[in-house]
Coordinates of all heavy atoms in Angstrom, one line a residue:
V687 N -45.6 -17.4 88.7 CA -44.7 -18.3 88.2 C -45.3 -19.7 88.2 O -45.0 -20.5 87.2 CB -43.5 -18.1 88.9 CG1 -42.4 -19.2 88.6 CG2 -42.7 -16.8 88.7
K688 N -45.9 -20.1 89.3 CA -46.4 -21.5 89.4 C -47.5 -21.7 88.3 O -47.6 -22.8 87.8 CB -46.9 -21.7 90.9 CG -45.8 -21.8 91.9 CD -46.5 -22.1 93.3 CE -45.3 -22.1 94.3 NZ -45.8 -22.2 95.7
L689 N -48.4 -20.8 88.2 CA -49.4 -20.9 87.2 C -48.9 -21.0 85.8 O -49.4 -22.0 85.0 CB -50.3 -19.6 87.3 CG -51.1 -19.4 88.4 CD1 -51.7 -18.0 88.5 CD2 -52.4 -20.4 88.4
I690 N -47.9 -20.4 85.4 CA -47.2 -20.5 84.1 C -46.5 -21.8 84.0 O -46.5 -22.5 83.0 CB -46.3 -19.3 83.8 CG1 -47.2 -18.0 83.6 CG2 -45.5 -19.5 82.6 CD1 -46.3 -16.7 83.5
E691 N -45.9 -22.2 85.1 CA -45.2 -23.6 85.1 C -46.3 -24.6 84.8 O -46.1 -25.6 84.1 CB -44.5 -23.8 86.4 CG -43.7 -25.0 86.5 CD -43.0 -25.3 87.8 OE1 -43.3 -24.6 88.7 OE2 -42.1 -26.2 87.8
K692 N -47.4 -24.6 85.5 CA -48.4 -25.6 85.4 C -49.2 -25.5 84.1 O -49.7 -26.5 83.5 CB -49.5 -25.5 86.5 CG -49.1 -26.2 87.8 CD -49.2 -27.8 87.6 CE -49.0 -28.4 88.9 NZ -49.1 -29.9 88.7
W693 N -49.3 -24.3 83.6 CA -50.0 -24.0 82.3 C -51.4 -24.6 82.2 O -52.3 -24.1 82.9 CB -49.2 -24.5 81.1 CG -49.5 -23.8 79.9 CD1 -50.0 -24.4 78.6 CD2 -49.2 -22.4 79.5 NE1 -50.1 -23.4 77.7 CE2 -49.7 -22.2 78.2 CE3 -48.7 -21.4 80.2 CZ2 -49.6 -20.9 77.5 CZ3 -48.6 -20.0 79.6 CH2 -49.1 -19.9 78.3
D694 N -51.7 -25.6 81.4 CA -53.0 -26.2 81.4 C -53.5 -26.7 82.7 O -54.8 -26.8 82.8 CB -53.1 -27.4 80.4 CG -52.9 -26.8 78.9 OD1 -53.3 -25.8 78.7 OD2 -52.5 -27.6 78.0
G695 N -52.7 -26.9 83.6 CA -53.1 -27.5 84.9 C -53.3 -26.4 85.9 O -53.2 -26.6 87.2
H696 N -53.4 -25.1 85.5 CA -53.4 -24.0 86.3 C -54.6 -24.0 87.3 O -54.6 -23.4 88.4 CB -53.5 -22.6 85.6 CG -54.6 -22.5 84.7 ND1 -54.8 -23.0 83.4 CD2 -55.9 -21.9 84.9 CE1 -55.9 -22.7 82.9 NE2 -56.7 -22.0 83.8
G697 N -55.7 -24.7 87.0 CA -56.9 -24.7 87.8 C -56.6 -25.4 89.2 O -57.3 -25.2 90.1
E698 N -55.5 -26.2 89.2 CA -55.2 -26.9 90.4 C -54.6 -25.9 91.5 O -54.5 -26.2 92.6 CB -54.2 -28.0 90.2 CG -54.6 -29.0 89.1 CD -53.5 -29.9 88.7 OE1 -52.4 -29.9 89.3 OE2 -53.7 -30.7 87.7
I699 N -54.2 -24.7 91.0 CA -53.5 -23.8 91.8 C -54.4 -22.7 92.4 O -54.3 -22.4 93.6 CB -52.2 -23.3 91.1 CG1 -51.3 -24.4 90.8 CG2 -51.5 -22.2 92.0 CD1 -50.1 -24.0 90.0
F710 N -52.3 -13.7 84.2 CA -52.2 -15.2 83.7 C -53.0 -15.4 82.5 O -52.6 -15.9 81.5 CB -52.4 -16.2 84.8 CG -52.4 -17.6 84.3 CD1 -51.2 -18.2 83.9 CD2 -53.6 -18.3 84.0 CE1 -51.2 -19.4 83.4 CE2 -53.6 -19.5 83.5 CZ -52.4 -20.1 83.2
W741 N -42.1 -19.5 80.7 CA -41.6 -19.9 82.0 C -40.2 -19.5 82.3 O -39.8 -19.1 83.4 CB -41.7 -21.5 81.9 CG -40.8 -22.3 82.9 CD1 -39.7 -23.2 82.6 CD2 -40.7 -22.2 84.3 NE1 -39.1 -23.6 83.6 CE2 -39.6 -23.0 84.7 CE3 -41.4 -21.5 85.2 CZ2 -39.3 -23.2 86.1 CZ3 -41.1 -21.6 86.6 CH2 -40.0 -22.5 87.0

Side-chain angles (χ1 to χ4, degrees):
V687 172
K688 289 179 181 178
L689 287 165
I690 291 176
E691 182 181 15
K692 273 290 188 180
W693 201 248
D694 286 335
H696 62 273
E698 304 170 8
I699 298 175
F710 174 75
W741 158 240

